[in-house]
Each structure stands twice: as C-alpha cells, then as structure tokens.
Amino acid sequence: MTAPGLTPQYQLPIYSRPPKTWTQTLNGTLFLLSFIPGCFMIHAFQLLFVLPLKLVPGALSKKLYDEGIRYTKGAFAALMNLMNHWFAPTRVSITFETQGQGKLTEEQIRQIVERDASGKVVALHLPSKSVIISNHQVYSDWWYVWCLTYVAHTQKDVFIVLKKSLKWVPLVGPGMQMYGFVFLARSWASDRLQLAKQLSKLGKKAEEEDKSFTFILFPEGTLVSKDTRPISRKYAEKMGVPDFCNVLLPRSTGLHYSLRALAPRLPTLKMVDITIIYPGIPPKGYGQSYYTLRSIFCDGIPPPVVHMHLRIFDVAKDVPIGDISGSNPGTIPNGFGKSVAEVDFPESEKITFDVWLRRLWAEKDEYITEFLERRTKPNGQRAVEIPLELRNKSEIARAFCFFLPAVVTYGCKKARDLLL
C-alpha cells in the first residue's frame, strides 16, 4: 500500500525506492518457498510419471507421454497465475484490433470475451493456432504473455524460443526441453534449419491431432536498455531508417522463417501482435529500471495493471511471408537433398517482410507514445480487464501436480524402511 500523498513505489526506479521492509522480505521468502518447490513438483512429475512412457513402445504410450507433457505445461501456467495471485496481484487490461477493421465493435468483443453470470471474464476466445509476437521491455513480458494463454485456454500448447545456454539450467532447463521449447545457439547458419525443422514438426503435429498451438517470439531479441538502445540506433543508421523511441528495431529473420515453416502446416494460423505497456515507466524510459522478476515477486511491487493491445492478423491473407507454394506440408525440412521453401527463398521476399515488420513496429512505437502522453487508450478504445489469478481453488493443487512426486517419494522411503 502507498500512503496518501506519496509516489507509488512502482513509479520509482528500483534504485530510488525505500529500503526493503520486513513484510517485503517475508513476501520474497514465501514466494521462493512456493515457486521453487512448485517447479520441482512439476519436473519431478515429468521424471517419475511421464518420462518412463518414452521407454514403452506403441502408439498409446506415445499419446500418454504427449498428454503428460501437456498436463505439466498447464500446471506451470497455473503455478504462474497462483504466484501472481498470492505474491504480486495484478490484472491485464486488453484492447483488440484486427487487420483491416481497426478496433473491434462491442459485438465482436463479446464473441472474444466470455463472461459468467456475474460479468466476470472467464475466458478469451483467441486464435487456437497462433504465433504471438510482442515488444520486449522486461523479463516479465514472457511471464504475462504465458499467463494470457491461461485465460485463453491454450496454455498446454505453448512453445518459446530460448538461448541454448539455458538448456541445462538446473531444474528448469531439462523441464523446458521436455516441453519441446526451441533452443538456438545464436548462429543463424545452424539455427535456421533447426528452427524450421522443429517448428514444421510441431505445426504438423498440432494440425494432425487438432490441438491448439501457440508460439511466442520477441522479434527485438532483447530488452530495451541503455546498452541495447545505441545498438538499435546504429542498426537503424546502417539500414537508413529512423530509430524508435520506445522499442528497438525488430529483427525479422527469425519470425519470417518461423511463419514460413508453420503456415503450410497450419492453414488457419494467425499472428497475434501484442503491444505491452507497463505503468510507471516514463517515455523513453527503460523497463528493467522499474520492473524485474525479483522486484515484482520478491519485493511485492508488481505493476498494478499490464496494458496489452492485441492486433490479430491472418497469416495467409495479411502477412507478406512470400511464396510458400513449394512447401510440402507432409514433410519436414532436413537440410539434405533439394532446397525447401521454408529455408531457401528469394532475398526480395525477405526484404518485403522486413519492411512490413518494421512498419508494424513503427505503429507500435507510435501507439506507446500516444498512450504515455494521454495516459489512456488511444482512440477511446474500451478495455477488457482481467485479474491474473486461478479460475478456481481446485487449481491450486493442480499447480503443484497434486504433490504426487512428494507422496510417491515419501511412500518409497517408508517402504524401504519397513523392508530394512
């Protein structure tokens, strides 16, 4: 709470905030004692109950393995929302726009936003097969975007691109590998085939099994900061284009290859462009000076609201990814033999997509500037506000996989003691 007349702490840079209080220390301690065991329970569930299915031949065991992984991915999304609810309460404020239509009508919004009898938002009917892109200000961006998929009921089928160095981070690294996340070495010569191959496989599987599919990607590649801003400015000068005020120039290559790999295998694929704005960050300010995962969850100073403006594009109609007629949806790029359309395509198509994405980012930058100047949604857009919390109390146990790994471990220990 903030005393009357005092500036809320989220509006102060982290280095200017008052010394941490005992309540903040307690909040941080309880968060770590909840989140880390939660991650352990989820990964232990994978190792004890899901991974052994890999060793059993047959279609049934493969299906059970896939469903087990989806279950643990959903459990992690529930854990994140539980952490929001218990230690860093916030809500998302969402506005919608579709390509060619502008802001949506009330009727269109009602088709997207599902409410219960009391008027509370219980679900968002966003595209079930989509690539989500967003500006990147703080590390919590990916956290809140994944929490958004929980509201959209697509949280079990989320895939993210990560640095290869994170692959073996204790506890979370192996878990993310089992989630099927894409790890890249930041060497495009080798990464492009790996990206196209893995996404083609995931997209083909999602379409054949009629599962949802959400691929999250940040085209800027890194956070806006005092270190990355000069790099973006230098890149803009090299390209002969203006630099932006609130975002970095996007790198189009990874997104372009991703869309070309997925589009032939997911005919209904949509691209959801999210513009995230956090309160308290001044114009041209750096988000990480105001929000870090530690300050949000350990210090208990979350953004009171996370503003998200969603623009929805039909990839086949609205996004210039180029000619993919040479792609074969039934095959996966392997780097051998003749070239495949997902990996090798004309330079002119790359330039066209790059210009299109840069224009999209220019509109995003303009939207953020207007929002920060007016402190309200541009064009009088009506927002839908959703608290980030669990749907019901029964989900608390689900977030910890019903503590089954702990129960099994305890049972095994007791059995061993009896035998000895």
Side-chain angles (χ1 to χ4, degrees), residues 94-110:
I94 305 175
T95 50
F96 302 94
E97 180 181 334
T98 57
Q99 177 69 4
Q101 286 186 284
K103 66 178 183 177
L104 303 188
T105 64
E106 290 294 325
E107 178 59 32
Q108 290 172 317
I109 291 177
R110 279 195 292 269

Side-chain angles (χ1 to χ4, degrees), residues 168-229:
W168 298 108
V169 171
L171 186 62
V172 296
M176 292 188 295
Q177 289 185 55
M178 295 184 72
Y179 281 162
F181 287 175
V182 182
F183 294 90
L184 299 181
R186 299 291 177 93
S187 171
W188 190 242
S190 59
D191 284 345
R192 66 175 189 151
L193 182 59
Q194 172 67 17
L195 181 66
K197 181 178 180 180
Q198 193 162 344
L199 287 182
S200 298
K201 182 179 179 180
L202 291 172
K204 183 173 181 286
K205 183 177 180 181
E207 185 67 16
E208 289 176 348
E209 298 179 1
D210 195 25
K211 295 285 198 316
S212 61
F213 177 88
T214 301
F215 181 58
I216 301 173
L217 184 67
F218 296 96
E220 291 165 81
T222 187
L223 304 179
V224 181
S225 69
K226 61 182 178 63
D227 296 320
T228 59
R229 171 57 65 202

